[in-house]
Amino acid sequence: GAVVSQHPSWVICKSGTSVKIECRSLDFQATTMFWYRQFPKQSLMLMATSNEGSKATYEQGVEKDKFLINHASLTLSTLTVTSAHPEDSSFYICSADSADEQFFGPGTRLTVL
Amino acid sequence: GENVEQHPSTLSVQEGDSAVIKCTYSDSASNYFPWYKQELGKRPQLIIDIRSNVGEKKDQRIAVTLNKTAKHFSLHITETQPEDSAVYFCAASQGNTPLVFGKGTRLSVIA
């Protein structure tokens, strides 16, 4: 199956700083990537749909100015959490679509102190 | 938009018994229904999926059934083993649209 990587796998940062998470499709091109957030013991909630070469589509309640998404190439999408706060601490997972199946990255655990 | 309900939220079974998890969805346009297994701190892993042109699909101990009329689909795990213990999520989409996940079922297989 297709492989999706994410970097970093975990990050700890101070409140008020920004954190960038990368999502790469390693062996296929993905015009569409999805960003999910998962709080402890909860389900995956879609944050936004990242489209190569165009603006991301954000789900209701997700602040586009706080969660910046850039999908500059067919293999890379980045999510930047700006001015992170403790309530942003979560597990962030990306996925990429290939042949109508979604392949997930390994996730990034963000802890904001 | 799509809404997926999943039941039960927790399930405990004896090793060797069967486990059944059920999901319902709201959008009749959905045509892709995957099931994921997620272990603590790891990414969801696709274990089986079904598309709307099929009513049942089986892969060894795992099977999924789909009733499009009633808009529900179920995961069946037979001869459960301790390593089946994990959180299972159902999801629905129209194929190339974002997945909408159920809230998950924590399965515990007791040896």
Side-chain angles (χ1 to χ4, degrees), chain A:
Chain A
V3 179
V4 176
S5 71
Q6 244 179 281
H7 178 81
S9 55
W10 60 269
V11 57
I12 301 172
C13 69
K14 292 183 179 180
S15 186
T17 60
S18 294
V19 174
K20 180 187 282 190
I21 302 170
E22 294 184 348
C23 178
R24 293 182 186 272
S25 55
L26 297 185
D27 51 1
F28 66 102
Q29 294 182 331
T31 55
T32 302
M33 292 184 175
F34 304 101
W35 287 97
Y36 295 86
R37 179 167 53 180
Q38 186 176 34
F39 291 108
K41 297 186 178 181
Q42 293 188 23
S43 188
L44 288 85
M45 297 299 296
L46 179 69
M47 298 177 67
T49 300
S50 171
N51 302 296
E52 188 268 336
S54 65
K55 292 183 179 180
T57 304
Y58 290 82
E59 294 301 298
Q60 192 173 8
V62 178
E63 300 174 54
K64 61 180 174 64
D65 294 329
K66 180 172 178 62
F67 298 99
L68 301 179
I69 291 174
N70 187 349
H71 195 153
S73 78
L74 288 171
T75 59
L76 173 64
S77 175
T78 61
L79 169 68
T80 301
V81 183
T82 63
S83 187
H85 291 284
E87 56 266 31
D88 298 323
S89 298
S90 188
F91 193 48
Y92 291 85
I93 308 176
C94 69
S95 71
D97 183 68
S98 176
D100 284 351
E101 184 178 336
Q102 285 194 30
F103 296 89
F104 285 90
T108 297
R109 184 161 302 283
L110 170 63
T111 302
V112 185
L113 302 176

Side-chain angles (χ1 to χ4, degrees), chain B residues 86-97:
Chain B
V87 179
Y88 291 81
F89 293 98
C90 64
S93 81
Q94 294 178 34
N96 60 355
T97 59

Side-chain angles (χ1 to χ4, degrees), chain B:
Chain B
E2 177 63 273
N3 181 49
V4 177
E5 299 283 340
Q6 183 172 346
H7 298 280
S9 57
T10 60
L11 178 61
S12 291
V13 299
Q14 291 289 131
E15 181 179 1
D17 287 349
S18 296
V20 180
I21 303 170
K22 298 182 179 182
C23 286
T24 61
Y25 61 99
S26 61
D27 189 349
S28 57
S30 291
N31 57 13
Y32 177 61
F33 308 94
W35 285 90
Y36 292 89
K37 176 184 180 181
Q38 187 179 30
E39 297 177 348
L40 190 63
K42 297 188 177 180
R43 80 184 90 188
Q45 296 279 3
L46 178 69
I47 55 172
I48 196 166
D49 58 12
I50 193 167
R51 298 187 187 271
S52 60
N53 57 346
V54 176
E56 183 175 356
K57 185 177 178 180
K58 189 173 181 180
D59 182 5
Q60 299 183 348
R61 297 186 297 111
I62 296 173
V64 57
T65 58
L66 171 65
N67 183 328
K68 282 225 74 179
T69 303
K71 293 207 280 286
H72 65 71
F73 56 112
S74 301
L75 176 71
H76 304 253
I77 305 174
T78 59
E79 300 172 30
T80 53
Q81 301 166 1
E83 51 266 36
D84 294 329
S85 297
V87 179
Y88 291 81
F89 293 98
C90 64
S93 81
Q94 294 178 34
N96 60 355
T97 59
L99 290 167
V100 177
F101 286 86
K103 291 188 183 299
T105 297
R106 183 171 300 277
L107 173 65
S108 299
V109 180
I110 304 164

